[in-house]
Amino acid sequence: MTVRDIFDSMAYGPAPESDAEARAWIARHGGRFGHFIDGRFTAPGATFATRNPARGEVLAEVTQGAAADVDRAVAAAARAYPKWSRTPGHERARILYGLARLVQKHARLLAVLETMDNGKPIREARDIDIPLVARHFYYHAGLAQLMASELPDHAPLGVCGAVIPWNFPLLMLAWKVAPALAAGNTVVLKPAEYTPLTALLFAEITREAGLPKGVLNIVTGDGDTGAALVAHPGVAKIAFTGSTEVGRIIRKATAGSGKALTLELGGKSPYIVFDDADLDSAVEGLVDAIWFNQGQVCCAGSRLIVQEGVADRFHDKLKRRMDGLRLGDPLDKCIDVGAIVDPAQRDRIAAMVDGCAEGETYRAASPVPDGCFYPPTLITGLSPANPLCQEEIFGPVLVSMTFRTPAEAVDLANNTRFGLAASVWTENLNLALDIAPKIRAGVVWVNATNLFDAAAGFGGVRESGFGREGGWEGLLAYLKPKGTARALKPVAAAPEPAQPRADGIDRTAKLYIGGKQARPDGGYSRAVWSPGGRLLGHVGLGNRKDIRNAVEAAHAAKGWARSTAHNRAQVIYYIAENLSARATEFADRLSAMTGKPGKAEVEAAIGRLFTYAAWADKWEGRAKPVPMHGIALAMNEPVGVIGALCPDEAPLLGLVSLMAPAIAMGNACVLVPSSAYPLAATDLYQVLDTSDLPGGVVNIVTGDPDDLARPLAGHLDVDAVWCFGRGDLSAKVEAEAAGNLKRTWVNHGMARDWFAPASEGAEFLRAATEVKTVWVPYGE
Ligand code: NAI
């Protein structure tokens, strides 16, 4: 090749990164690894190979973790926990800071090893993955330092189990390990079977940082090892990132166990390009959105939604850019697109694309090397219902659709079961900021894509899972409110007396659905007796159909979410005012049902309504100072429709304690009141009726919680379910919630003092909101 040829083609020559150091590290371990437990490597057991997907060669043998290995690791973490959790925040901060420094010192080795094991271009491992890992530890060193002063009422959870995927092996480790350790937990982590090596190298590095033994343990293995960790009774929390399918399995496996859970699952993120966008920037962004890490990114912008008038021009520009992408050996610094992690994944991608008979497929011109590669691919002309527009392909395959109006763009964007991320491209700030809140996603990038930072929460809604990673909100997922838990005492309704006394006119309280009283669908009701044997009234027994109607009514009331916070506050004050006007009547009703004085509970309920009227316009978001051109706004959005099973211990105050934060934050709710003492709730709807609360914002379905918990928790149009009823309902609720992976908040049979200050405020407001991180350009 002549110099002239080079100038003509502008082709880069190969610029290979040396793998010598990484190979030497593997060789120092004899090419075979055990687990990392209690501060040291165990002897290798039954092993499996981990390969370099670009070259197909075996890199090392790692041990398939058995249940006994998980036991040993959890035991080590449990032994280390008491001391680590009591280590002052400053000490933990120093160690996390040390880890950040060491990640930087070993950055090249970590990057090369990551590329060899995963197949991602070295440019990405070197410039994105590893710097973000270091940043994560720096940031969390800061959180550890500030925890005592900023979150004095919180305590760590215990031993945390982390199960992570193969697409960002070390970064996902950092996302789990940094907040867990900052908060004072100890960890057992299982890396993905395709990519265990950087986790093992990191474990070795923790010794240099002085991390006490047992605080971080790594057990390698496949899904069975992960399942053993998830099932282990010594684990207090599971943090999982991976497929929605496995997320659902884990949700079911942990149901009723009392384990905390966060799930960061799949996505099918929209990439919306309006006709006034800077198209060249949007093309560059899209290259990053879908071809970064070969598209094996949970938040990959895998659905292009482009405005009709510019679609052809945009596709042409995109195709030209695709043709310039270079596929090849990921260790070559000039490579744009590396290898797919494993032949099984490549075959899966190929099968999905080959199985699609619709549309037109365009493949990048760059030759596809032998080995585990798949070319950048664009498919246009698909209908939105096509499986390729609905299912996660998890490869370098972009599907494209067009739209005419902003409303249509939003409809298309929201037309999947996922809700992880979205990009919006337009030069019109009004338009971008109009669209961002309408998209169902945990993260929205305006004129940008795939921006990540430790300070900014990341995570999804709907079937993309729940929980946030990063920021204060991510740290809170590794903490619980301080306090000693005591078991909930069962509360039983007063039984039917031997000699019933019915004085006065019988009244059957109906259900309250869509702002109207409704007869229960089944046509059944039951008598409510006072402890002294007096008939207090009848209450309707709701069923599955009533729950369905209530959820439908709640959806129809979605306008509440768009009402102003000031307006919501006014309505809640008005409810308090009207309850206050009837305080004596409510107090009498409570004491008639429970046999105890009711005045204090009514007063507390009025106070609680005031609290949430106050909070309605004060539960502020944050503006995160992220280290790139822009700012990340953490917006507190309503969750949507919340189903809540209310406590028996405080039939009025408990219900108000759940209802008020839910509606203050703009949610609609379906409440199942105490079944032992339901009449306080059915009296309350008369108060709601006269307080300007729009119909459907609060729906009340009385009945047997055994009949109502499952349909409510399983309903696909319910976004979150809270259960403060009988302890054994928690397991049912969590298991049923696996269907659409809705958020749950349950009592696990533990009592709560509903009168206590801890039973109002931040914990409740957090449950009633989703943090949406909106990245906007800002400043220089
Ligand atoms: P996966 O969800 O099966 O694996 C993720 C992790 O979970 C691995 O460490 C695995 O060993 C572990 N695991 C598997 N079964 C388990 C179980 N029953 N209990 C506990 N842990 C278990 O993902 P996989 O099979 O590697 O990839 C399949 C598809 O999943 C991909 O094509 C992609 O669509 C999706 N995926 C999504 C990711 C995301 O970040 N959203 C990451 C990885 C995969």
Side-chain angles (χ1 to χ4, degrees):
M1 184 181 278
T2 64
V3 172
R4 173 78 203 251
D5 292 338
I6 292 171
F7 271 107
D8 280 347
S9 73
M10 290 299 281
Y12 294 80
E17 177 76 37
S18 165
D19 60 4
E21 284 296 319
R23 288 189 183 282
W25 176 76
I26 293 170
R28 271 205 301 283
H29 287 268
R32 285 164 61 79
F33 290 86
H35 310 297
F36 185 82
I37 296 176
D38 214 10
R40 58 179 195 85
F41 284 99
T42 63
T47 59
F48 61 91
T50 182
R51 290 170 186 275
N52 175 336
R55 299 177 187 171
E57 62 184 339
V58 172
L59 292 172
E61 293 281 328
V62 294
T63 298
Q64 167 62 25
D69 299 314
V70 172
D71 276 348
R72 267 195 292 279
V74 173
R79 277 195 305 277
Y81 176 70
K83 188 156 178 227
W84 181 249
S85 58
R86 284 198 295 267
T87 301
H90 175 61
E91 290 303 312
R92 293 205 302 273
R94 288 173 87 112
I95 290 177
L96 289 167
Y97 175 77
L99 278 169
R101 301 280 298 147
L102 284 163
V103 166
Q104 286 180 317
K105 273 183 212 161
H106 296 291
R108 195 51 66 97
L109 176 60
L110 286 163
V112 171
L113 192 64
E114 196 77 306
T115 284
M116 288 165 73
D117 209 11
N118 168 277
K120 63 176 67 210
I122 183 68
R123 249 181 337 122
E124 292 178 9
R126 184 194 65 193
D127 298 344
I128 297 169
D129 292 52
I130 307 304
L132 281 175
V133 170
R135 162 86 182 131
H136 222 72
F137 280 99
Y138 277 123
Y139 178 83
H140 284 86
L143 289 187
Q145 176 75 23
L146 298 178
M147 236 186 74
S149 64
E150 300 306 301
L151 294 168
D153 300 331
H154 285 75
L157 299 168
V159 176
C160 294
V163 179
I164 58 170
W166 40 259
N167 49 349
F168 295 91
L170 194 64
L171 186 57
M172 290 303 105
L173 174 148
W175 280 22
K176 310 284 184 246
V177 170
L181 300 193
N185 303 281
T186 56
V187 175
V188 177
L189 176 132
K190 191 204 81 69
E193 50 271 50
Y194 295 148
T195 53
L197 293 180
T198 46
L200 294 168
L201 173 54
F202 180 83
E204 198 172 282
I205 289 173
T206 62
R207 293 198 293 214
E208 282 179 61
L211 189 72
K213 63 179 189 168
V215 172
L216 172 65
N217 307 275
I218 309 283
V219 179
T220 51
D222 61 10
D224 291 342
T225 315
L229 179 57
V230 167
H232 200 289
V235 169
K237 177 200 165 101
I238 294 292
F240 173 77
T241 297
S243 61
T244 295
E245 188 192 349
V246 173
R248 197 170 276 126
I249 292 171
I250 292 177
R251 167 71 289 182
K252 287 188 185 145
T254 53
S257 66
K259 287 174 187 152
L261 180 65
T262 42
L263 298 175
E264 202 270 274
L265 309 175
K268 193 76 189 172
S269 298
Y271 189 97
I272 306 171
V273 180
F274 284 96
D275 57 9
D276 67 348
D278 171 351
L279 294 190
D280 291 315
S281 298
V283 166
E284 279 316 301
L286 191 48
V287 167
D288 187 29
I290 183 64
W291 293 305
F292 171 51
N293 202 17
Q294 295 69 249
Q296 303 166 121
V297 182
C298 49
C299 55
S302 52
R303 282 186 303 144
L304 169 63
I305 300 176
V306 54
Q307 200 153 13
E308 207 173 74
V310 293
D312 287 345
R313 197 147 58 91
F314 191 79
H315 288 148
D316 285 347
K317 281 177 183 281
L318 183 63
K319 287 175 187 170
R320 227 172 312 138
R321 186 67 177 83
M322 284 169 75
D323 289 343
L325 293 172
R326 291 156 302 216
L327 272 76
D329 185 353
L331 276 177
D332 182 343
K333 291 191 273 282
C334 295
I335 285 309
D336 299 308
V337 180
I340 302 295
V341 72
D342 187 84
Q345 281 297 119
R346 186 210 38 210
D347 295 349
R348 197 175 157 277
I349 298 164
M352 284 183 84
V353 174
D354 297 348
C356 172
E358 214 189 343
E360 273 175 46
T361 302
Y362 184 84
R363 292 195 171 84
S366 169
V368 181
D370 288 341
C372 196
F373 291 87
Y374 196 88
T377 301
L378 164 70
I379 308 179
T380 50
L382 295 178
S383 55
N386 187 292
L388 292 190
C389 297
Q390 293 292 330
E391 301 303 324
E392 191 173 36
I393 302 173
F394 225 62
V397 181
L398 175 69
V399 297
S400 175
M401 288 163 270
T402 59
F403 70 92
R404 289 186 178 164
T405 63
E408 203 185 333
V410 170
D411 283 347
L412 281 172
N414 289 338
N415 180 33
T416 71
R417 58 200 168 94
F418 299 109
L420 193 52
S423 291
V424 181
W425 291 78
T426 168
E427 292 298 290
N428 178 348
L429 180 67
N430 299 328
L431 181 59
L433 298 183
D434 175 50
I435 298 293
K438 293 180 178 155
I439 294 182
R440 299 292 313 271
V443 183
V444 177
W445 294 292
V446 174
N447 290 331
T449 196
N450 275 347
L451 298 179
F452 309 102
D453 183 55
F458 182 89
V461 296
R462 303 206 275 192
E463 293 191 29
S464 293
F466 46 80
R468 294 289 176 266
E469 302 191 279
W472 290 99
E473 55 270 41
L475 186 73
L476 281 160
Y478 288 88
L479 293 167
K480 61 181 177 197
K482 271 186 187 156
T484 36
R486 55 187 174 81
L488 189 62
K489 286 203 205 90
V491 177
E496 181 172 350
Q499 286 175 333
R501 278 188 296 123
D503 37 14
I505 301 171
D506 173 46
R507 231 187 103 227
T508 300
K510 300 192 181 62
L511 317 182
Y512 184 61
I513 296 177
K516 296 193 183 71
Q517 302 191 25
R519 266 179 237 291
D521 167 73
Y524 289 102
S525 57
R526 83 161 176 85
V528 181
W529 303 96
S530 76
R534 192 157 60 89
L535 180 66
L536 300 176
H538 284 83
V539 67
L541 292 178
N543 64 14
R544 172 177 292 272
K545 197 152 173 234
D546 297 309
I547 291 287
R548 238 169 33 214
N549 293 340
V551 172
E552 222 171 273
H555 269 277
K558 279 283 181 66
W560 179 246
R562 293 191 294 275
S563 63
T564 65
H566 172 74
N567 179 19
R568 294 198 296 271
Q570 296 307 302
V571 170
I572 296 170
Y573 279 128
Y574 199 12
I575 296 172
E577 195 183 305
N578 286 326
L579 179 57
S580 176
R582 295 173 59 177
T584 315
E585 185 191 324
F586 272 84
D588 291 347
R589 181 66 115 178
L590 286 171
S591 64
M593 283 191 295
T594 64
K596 295 182 209 138
K599 187 162 183 285
E601 185 172 341
V602 178
E603 287 307 317
I606 295 167
R608 197 132 292 168
L609 287 162
F610 261 67
T611 296
Y612 289 108
W615 271 122
D617 55 4
K618 293 172 196 69
W619 187 239
E620 293 143 358
R622 286 172 187 256
K624 308 284 182 87
V626 286
M628 48 275 274
H629 164 71
I631 194 155
L633 306 175
M635 308 295 291
N636 289 326
E637 292 195 340
V639 173
V641 173
I642 297 177
L645 294 132
C646 303
D648 290 307
E649 316 87 270
L652 177 66
L653 177 61
L655 180 139
V656 166
S657 299
L658 301 179
M659 175 193 82
I663 65 174
M665 294 297 106
N667 300 284
C669 56
V670 176
L671 305 175
V672 176
S674 158
S675 66
Y677 309 126
L679 297 178
T682 56
D683 292 343
L684 189 71
Y685 60 59
Q686 296 162 9
V687 170
L688 302 179
D689 259 346
T690 52
S691 304
D692 289 347
L693 185 74
V697 174
V698 173
N699 304 275
I700 299 175
V701 180
T702 47
D704 183 346
D706 280 314
D707 296 335
L708 302 177
R710 280 188 209 274
L712 187 58
H715 200 298
L716 294 182
D717 280 334
V718 171
D719 301 292
V721 62
W722 302 349
C723 179
F724 290 91
R726 254 182 21 231
D728 62 304
L729 295 171
S730 298
K732 283 184 194 166
V733 162
E734 288 188 329
E736 285 295 322
N740 68 345
L741 289 157
K742 60 174 70 65
R743 272 173 80 181
T744 57
W745 186 29
V746 303
N747 63 4
H748 291 301
M750 291 298 147
R752 179 182 270 281
D753 176 2
W754 292 98
F755 287 83
S759 283
E760 64 180 20
E763 191 187 2
F764 289 73
L765 293 160
R766 265 182 223 117
T769 46
E770 293 284 1
V771 178
K772 179 188 267 180
T773 304
V774 183
W775 294 71
V776 289
Y778 186 82
E780 286 176 34

